[in-house]
Amino acid sequence: MRVLVVEDDEDLRISVSVELAGTGLEVLQVPDLRTADDLLRRVGFDCVVFDRTLPDGDAIDYVQHRRRTGWAVPVLFLTARDSIADRVAGFAAGGDDYLVKPFSVAEMAARVRTLCRRGDGRPSVLRHADLEVDCARRAVRRGGVLLTLSDKEFAVLEYLAIRPERVVSRSDLIEHCWDASADPMSNVVDVVVKRLRRKLGTPELIHTIRGRGYRLGAYGPVS
């Protein structure tokens, strides 16, 4: 899933982007509406995080204008304006969520992931056999038992759970769960999958399909 962060405060922009990337999202970041508009017309995004007050305008005005043209990408506004009237204006303009500064970057990331899934119609809780992946709360249970997963383990499991019974290649997992600096020839995927299998326990749910990748399923070949 790809997210655009539009924020003129460099420190906050980097902080938000790092938090989102750490949950397995692909993140692009820009400081103003002009650059954001250019990207949004060329690149597909699952969600956009807008600081409301930007050097070249109010993001609410921009979103309102784009909504009138049929643009439907989910939007989260970040702002220091905390009045009821400001919140109402944000939603009325077409915003999907509204977070007041200062805020928890972890909460922000959870809200963004929820918006990404809303955009493609996915449920917030994915279930397969006795596995439950709560994407909004970033919680995983197997047989009702809560498991402790790292961010990368969760990102890989979530990506597989979205595509149950389908083979997912190592290159797809690297593209969607790691940043651009990841080496596609490394064994990072295999290492994370090995840890996931150990934490998920038996019977096996993540199967290796030789020469093709991995598949989340109740039955299948394992190597």
Side-chain angles (χ1 to χ4, degrees):
M1 293 182 284
R2 183 182 296 127
V3 177
L4 177 63
V5 176
V6 189
E7 167 65 64
D8 62 321
D9 182 317
E10 184 177 9
D11 290 340
L12 181 57
R13 186 172 71 245
I14 292 173
S15 176
V16 166
S17 299
V18 168
E19 181 72 19
L20 291 172
T23 68
L25 297 171
E26 179 184 350
V27 184
L28 281 71
Q29 49 172 298
V30 296
D32 53 53
L33 287 172
R34 180 186 61 80
T35 312
D37 183 62
D38 178 63
L39 267 179
L40 288 168
R41 295 181 188 280
R42 294 186 295 106
V43 181
F45 290 92
D46 297 284
C47 181
V48 183
V49 179
F50 280 107
D51 177 26
R52 176 169 174 180
T53 305
L54 293 159
D56 51 351
D58 188 329
I60 279 185
D61 294 335
Y62 174 80
V63 171
Q64 187 172 46
H65 170 72
R66 291 298 306 274
R67 290 297 194 228
R68 289 170 180 162
T69 68
W71 185 65
V73 176
V75 165
L76 169 67
F77 287 119
L78 302 178
T79 179
R81 304 182 188 184
D82 60 356
S83 73
I84 296 298
D86 286 320
R87 293 171 186 262
V88 170
F91 289 118
D96 298 274
D97 204 348
Y98 196 99
L99 197 55
V100 176
K101 301 175 183 178
F103 54 84
S104 160
V105 289
E107 178 187 358
M108 175 276 307
R111 292 186 183 211
V112 168
R113 293 186 69 83
T114 298
L115 290 178
C116 286
R117 288 186 295 276
R118 182 186 302 173
D120 63 11
R122 268 183 257 160
S124 62
V125 179
L126 307 171
R127 294 182 175 86
H128 187 78
D130 62 346
L131 177 70
E132 180 180 292
V133 181
D134 188 328
C135 303
R137 295 179 174 84
R138 297 184 59 75
V140 175
R141 288 177 171 81
R142 178 89 195 265
V145 177
L146 183 64
L147 308 179
T148 301
L149 303 184
S150 69
D151 286 340
K152 200 61 67 180
E153 290 164 355
F154 183 89
V156 169
L157 182 60
E158 180 186 39
Y159 194 75
L160 292 170
I162 290 167
R163 300 158 180 79
E165 305 298 348
R166 288 167 51 188
V167 178
V168 177
S169 69
R170 288 174 175 81
S171 59
D172 277 345
L173 286 168
I174 287 180
E175 179 182 352
H176 289 88
C177 302
W178 274 264
D179 60 30
S181 64
D183 180 1
M185 302 304 292
S186 71
N187 68 338
V188 291
V189 173
D190 305 289
V191 170
V192 170
V193 169
K194 183 177 180 180
R195 295 202 305 258
L196 268 174
R197 282 175 171 156
R198 184 172 64 250
K199 292 182 178 182
L200 290 172
T202 55
E204 189 70 79
L205 283 179
I206 301 177
H207 307 290
T208 299
I209 311 301
R210 291 185 181 278
R212 297 176 61 194
Y214 295 101
R215 178 173 63 81
L216 184 73
Y219 304 100
V222 183
S223 63

